[in-house]
Amino acid sequence: MPSVKTAKVCYITGGTAPIKRIMAIAAGKFVCWLSRLSGNQGSSLPGLVARRICPGILVELAAQVHRGVVMITGTNGKTTTGNMIAGVLLAAGYKVINNREGANLITGVTASFVRKSSLWGKIDCDYAVLEVDEASFPGVTAEVRPQIVVLTNFFRDQLDRYWEVDKIVGLINTALQKLPGTRLVLNADDPLAAQFREKTGLSCTFYGLGGFERRSGTGDRVREARFCPFCGAPLVYDNFYYSQLGIYKCSGCPFVRPEAQVEATEIVLGPSSTTSMVVYDHSRVLLTVPAHGLHNLYNALAAFSAGSALKIGIESIVRALENYVPVSGRMEAFIYHGKPVYLNLVKNPAGFNEGLAALLNGKERSKDVLLAINDLDADGRDISWLWDVDFEVLAETGRLSFFCTGRRGEEMALRLKYAGISTDRIGLSRDMRAAIRKALAGTGEKVYLYTTYTALWPARKILSRMAVKGNYDQNLPSLS
Amino acid sequence: MIKICHLYPELLNLYGDRGNIIAFVRRCQWRGVDVTTREANLGDPVDFSDTDFLFLGGGSDREQDLIAGDIKRRRAELRSAIENGLVVLAICGGYQLLGQYYRTGDGRVIPGLGLLDFYTEAGGKRLLGNVVIEVMLDGALVRVYGFENHSGRTFLGETEPLGKVLAGNGNNGCDGWEGARYKNVFCSYLHGPLLPKNAGLTDHLIALALKRRGLDLPLIPLDDRFEKRACKVLQDRLL
Ligand SMILES: [Zn+2]
């Protein structure tokens, strides 16, 4: 792996020439902008370009993370788990870098740092939460030292690239041997993940399900580890969830499903949420994850474990997980009395600007716009960034009506006023429900809702009651 | 015609700094006062004597290092402009730059311009959150609202504070003062940004700039209901 070697040379010689670093970051950011312009997320290309110019860029940028790096690898649930962990840390008031877009190769990881970096190569964040592709794990850990590694599970996946599960496990094991002091968060129910305690000797936090009876016999077919990873004898299952996940013990040696420090019991699977009692550290807490399925419960437990390993308060973890947004709120479409409604999460000036672009497009004569701005920890308590959003572009079109709400709706209204929007087009209400109702009842041909992180879930809930979920352009629901 | 100069916008650009310029410009325009804004970065020529309002935004240690050398060359000219009544607003990093020095966490001393008598030391915990201070403007006490986020602790020497902390930390979290003030120079840790919500302070700065141009007239009052509502949110929460 030549890139890794070059990076090390760069590192040992005490860093890159500043001009090279600046060029690398500038080029990376430029590519970000270009690919966004062409309507493409382009999540790893900026990293590729930056690494070409300065191979040590990731080492330099990642070394600046104040508190630590959490990496998530494994076959399934990396993105969701990563997003959940990032949510837990954000809710606890930390600044977090994460490769949300699922750009999980070394170039994607590099890109996520380049995007957050100042032009001078400065990173200001407390934690980096990185979803890392299993095959990229050795390369990434050679440049970024994780404090915590979450191993979700190991299934057969993309066999063309990944040879077989054993090789992946071996690869990750070799990489972990070079990371003494790292804490592992492991799925106790997956023997392939659980084996890493014995294999590495690292300190571990286990999570798993306790006392869940799966009625249907699905998943019995593709069992990866029917045999013990240590002695090769068949594993015996007391309880079986899916694939090789369950409560197992080896028939030939002492290997047995480890006791889970974070364990979900009394599990209730709902259509769009999963509720369970989480038992940890001699306490119990009720957790409802707004996502369907056992796999999402596993993801939440992994995030719970990582959060508690980072000493985040349990209440704060539970609140963050209950507010988890399953990649919705990105121009999520609804229909209200035959007119399209879009819900969009906004977190920073760049994203907000992108979201506002939708208001300028289209031939519609008029649009109603709702802006819900909160300033809780997960939103960022400092709302100054609203002043870096280009609301000025909206002043030129007189076809928009605005409704501001949220804990800082007043500041939002003030921002619009200073953007040059006439104050008689700016409504303000403390009551989010009333504000949403007004926006929906407006005379506009389309409605756009922009909300910050903690306002998204309540807004979505209100909207779901008033409007029908669905895309106007794709399938018009029959209106009864 | 009011001439605004935004110094080092590429380096000193804390979230929302732009809002201070926007507020100053709008409140001039709404009164029919012409304004021009220019940005000056490292090495760009600036004529302080031909500037009416100078804005210095926030930045961190790293940026301060880069700026220190450049601004030192401008010191004499800036000093005489300030003595002649140049209206200056300096926030966070820009504020620290005008003092005697900044001592970093590892004990390194970055000399400041020494135009105002105060010094700053790196502190441990960041002082972060919403702030309310009380400022004397034209003989009246005015409440000023903002958000602070700084690890530096500033201690005033001869220089007067900008205001008294009613809620939040202010300069150092212990002596109860916020910001610094000398002639027409206003320094503060408050962003949020500072000027849009605090229309009274903005108008005070505009009036000072106009006065320096020989236009000593009372400003036309504006409809400030939105500004008052935005302040009231913080007032209700913090006081
Ligand atoms: Zn065995």
Side-chain angles (χ1 to χ4, degrees):
Chain A
M1 290 183 183
S3 61
V4 175
K5 271 185 200 148
T6 343
K8 273 188 179 156
V9 172
C10 216
Y11 191 48
I12 291 158
T13 53
T16 333
I19 187 68
K20 221 169 190 191
R21 187 178 61 222
I22 293 165
M23 275 170 59
I25 292 166
K29 284 180 181 289
F30 180 65
V31 174
C32 275
W33 175 76
L34 267 188
S35 54
R36 211 166 290 152
L37 214 60
S38 61
N40 164 340
Q41 279 300 308
S43 24
S44 59
L45 190 62
L48 188 72
V49 170
R51 295 178 67 83
R52 273 282 161 75
I53 298 171
C54 173
I57 192 78
L58 178 58
V59 173
E60 291 197 15
L61 294 181
Q64 297 174 52
V65 175
H66 305 319
R67 287 172 162 262
V69 176
V70 180
M71 282 186 195
I72 303 99
T73 193
T75 312
N76 286 340
K78 290 189 290 285
T79 304
T80 302
T81 305
N83 289 349
M84 283 177 167
I85 294 172
V88 165
L89 293 171
L90 283 169
Y94 292 110
K95 279 184 248 175
V96 179
I97 284 186
N98 84 320
N99 50 342
R100 264 179 179 264
E101 298 84 352
N104 59 15
L105 307 180
I106 197 159
T107 45
V109 170
T110 308
S112 61
F113 278 94
V114 166
R115 218 173 287 131
K116 280 285 175 85
S117 163
S118 75
L119 209 50
W120 306 95
K122 200 189 154 232
I123 293 279
D124 181 22
C125 88
D126 301 308
Y127 286 104
V129 177
L130 305 172
E131 164 198 341
V132 181
D133 169 86
E134 307 92 284
S136 302
F137 187 76
V140 173
T141 50
E143 298 193 24
V144 183
R145 199 176 183 86
Q147 180 188 347
I148 290 183
V149 173
V150 181
L151 297 177
T152 56
N153 47 52
F154 292 92
F155 303 122
R156 242 179 236 285
D157 177 47
Q158 301 184 25
L159 280 177
D160 52 331
R161 192 157 61 89
Y162 283 169
W163 326 297
E164 51 202 76
V165 168
D166 279 357
K167 275 198 183 146
I168 285 294
V169 166
L171 213 65
I172 290 176
N173 184 29
T174 311
L176 287 173
Q177 299 297 333
K178 295 173 192 156
L179 300 169
T182 298
R183 170 170 280 275
L184 299 181
V185 172
L186 303 174
N187 186 338
D189 296 346
D190 181 1
L192 289 174
Q195 65 171 316
F196 279 92
R197 173 170 57 181
E198 277 80 12
K199 285 252 163 88
T200 64
L202 297 173
S203 51
C204 299
T205 302
F206 284 101
Y207 62 91
L209 311 185
F212 180 74
E213 293 278 358
R214 196 172 186 102
R215 303 252 164 80
S216 72
T218 56
D220 200 30
R221 283 159 297 148
V222 197
R223 273 209 258 168
E224 220 39 74
R226 270 178 291 181
F227 300 98
C228 171
F230 293 97
C231 73
L235 293 174
V236 183
Y237 282 81
D238 283 342
N239 227 324
F240 185 71
Y241 307 140
Y242 62 95
S243 210
Q244 78 275 11
L245 272 59
I247 309 287
Y248 52 84
K249 57 174 177 276
C250 178
S251 59
C253 79
F255 182 57
V256 59
R257 180 219 183 236
E259 195 186 326
Q261 285 89 47
V262 176
E263 193 165 71
T265 62
E266 299 163 48
I267 298 157
V268 180
L269 296 176
S272 63
S273 70
T274 308
T275 300
S276 70
M277 190 62 78
V278 177
V279 183
Y280 70 98
D281 198 17
H282 309 297
S283 311
R284 295 154 63 80
V285 63
L286 188 70
L287 174 69
T288 300
V289 187
H292 168 77
L294 277 187
H295 57 289
N296 277 320
L297 179 56
Y298 273 123
N299 296 333
L301 293 174
F304 190 112
S305 308
S308 71
L310 292 171
K311 307 273 184 280
I312 308 289
I314 297 304
E315 271 172 40
S316 173
I317 293 175
V318 169
R319 211 175 330 117
L321 291 175
E322 295 193 332
N323 285 323
Y324 168 71
V325 183
V327 206
S328 70
R330 296 196 178 188
M331 284 296 171
E332 198 180 353
F334 294 82
I335 298 163
Y336 175 80
H337 289 307
K339 77 179 164 188
V341 180
Y342 300 96
L343 177 63
N344 202 25
L345 171 67
V346 290
K347 291 178 294 188
N348 50 47
F352 213 146
N353 281 339
E354 269 176 53
L356 293 183
L359 296 180
L360 300 172
N361 295 340
K363 294 177 283 289
E364 297 79 18
R365 279 197 310 278
S366 57
K367 288 164 187 160
D368 290 295
V369 185
L370 179 114
L371 302 151
I373 308 296
N374 278 351
D375 66 349
L376 296 169
D377 282 349
D379 305 290
R381 289 164 59 199
D382 182 3
I383 52 159
S384 307
W385 63 276
L386 291 178
W387 293 84
D388 293 318
V389 180
D390 298 322
F391 293 104
E392 279 75 8
V393 297
L394 306 180
E396 280 133 45
T397 161
R399 301 161 178 172
L400 304 171
S401 298
F402 297 89
F403 303 88
C404 302
T405 186
R407 285 168 57 89
R408 297 303 288 272
E410 291 81 359
E411 185 92 10
M412 187 63 244
L414 186 67
R415 175 69 188 97
L416 294 177
K417 174 186 167 181
Y418 277 88
I421 293 160
S422 159
T423 51
D424 52 25
R425 304 193 80 91
I426 307 170
L428 183 55
S429 172
R430 287 250 107 184
D431 179 355
M432 192 186 287
R433 185 180 306 275
I436 291 177
R437 190 175 290 131
K438 275 187 193 162
L440 292 176
T443 52
E445 291 172 27
K446 282 186 177 178
V447 185
Y448 287 84
L449 291 82
Y450 299 89
T451 80
T452 60
Y453 194 79
T454 65
L456 180 65
W457 206 246
R460 197 173 182 283
K461 221 167 166 180
I462 295 165
L463 190 57
S464 304
R465 255 180 239 142
M466 298 181 182
V468 187
K469 196 165 156 48
N471 201 320
Y472 182 83
D473 312 314
Q474 282 160 16
N475 52 329
L476 269 167
S478 54
L479 294 169
S480 54
Chain B
M1 163 85 87
I2 293 271
K3 290 179 183 167
I4 300 174
C5 176
H6 187 179
L7 202 51
Y8 309 124
E10 286 176 2
L11 292 166
L12 295 176
N13 56 353
L14 211 66
Y15 264 161
D17 273 344
R18 199 168 67 123
N20 289 316
I21 303 284
I22 293 172
F24 193 99
V25 168
R26 288 286 184 204
R27 296 187 74 82
C28 286
Q29 288 172 341
W30 288 334
R31 294 181 167 107
V33 176
D34 277 343
V35 228
T36 58
T37 308
R38 63 161 304 203
E39 300 191 339
N41 285 298
L42 292 180
D44 292 349
V46 183
D47 183 357
F48 292 120
S49 62
D50 192 36
T51 299
D52 300 298
F53 176 55
L54 180 72
F55 178 72
L56 271 162
S60 66
D61 301 5
R62 188 184 289 251
E63 280 87 24
Q64 293 222 357
D65 252 354
L66 283 159
I67 286 163
D70 188 82
I71 202 166
K72 216 178 281 168
R73 285 190 290 278
R74 310 178 193 265
R75 185 180 183 274
E77 214 207 318
L78 182 57
R79 186 194 180 100
S80 80
I82 285 173
E83 294 301 324
N84 285 316
L86 172 65
V87 181
V88 181
L89 177 66
I91 306 288
C92 288
Y95 168 17
Q96 294 168 355
L97 213 57
L98 299 182
Q100 303 293 355
Y101 62 84
Y102 181 92
R103 195 194 305 274
T104 64
D106 47 24
R108 211 158 45 90
V109 169
I110 304 172
L113 289 178
L115 297 173
L116 275 70
D117 184 22
F118 61 80
Y119 64 93
T120 306
E121 288 178 345
K125 201 171 140 270
R126 288 194 84 76
L127 305 177
L128 189 147
N130 290 303
V131 189
V132 189
I133 64 171
E134 203 166 47
V135 180
M136 186 70 84
L137 293 177
D138 291 329
L141 279 173
V142 175
R143 280 178 179 171
V144 169
Y145 299 83
F147 190 94
E148 65 180 338
N149 182 356
H150 54 108
S151 60
R153 266 67 165 172
T154 296
F155 297 91
L156 303 175
E158 293 294 307
T159 302
E160 271 179 61
L162 175 64
K164 198 176 109 189
V165 176
L166 299 184
N169 292 291
N171 281 342
N172 45 51
C174 35
D175 64 17
W177 299 118
E178 207 292 316
R181 186 173 178 177
Y182 171 72
K183 296 213 168 195
N184 290 341
V185 181
F186 296 77
C187 299
S188 177
Y189 275 117
L190 270 56
H191 59 273
L194 180 63
L195 296 187
K197 270 195 294 294
N198 300 295
L201 178 61
T202 315
D203 286 353
H204 185 72
L205 299 179
I206 294 170
L208 288 173
L210 288 170
K211 197 171 164 185
R212 187 159 162 260
R213 287 258 161 175
L215 292 161
D216 195 1
L217 296 165
L219 293 178
I220 304 161
L222 299 173
D223 174 1
D224 290 335
R225 274 177 294 177
F226 275 45
E227 287 79 353
K228 286 183 184 129
R229 288 182 79 167
C231 286
K232 190 164 186 304
V233 173
L234 294 178
Q235 181 194 305
D236 292 349
R237 212 190 280 182
L238 301 168
L239 299 178

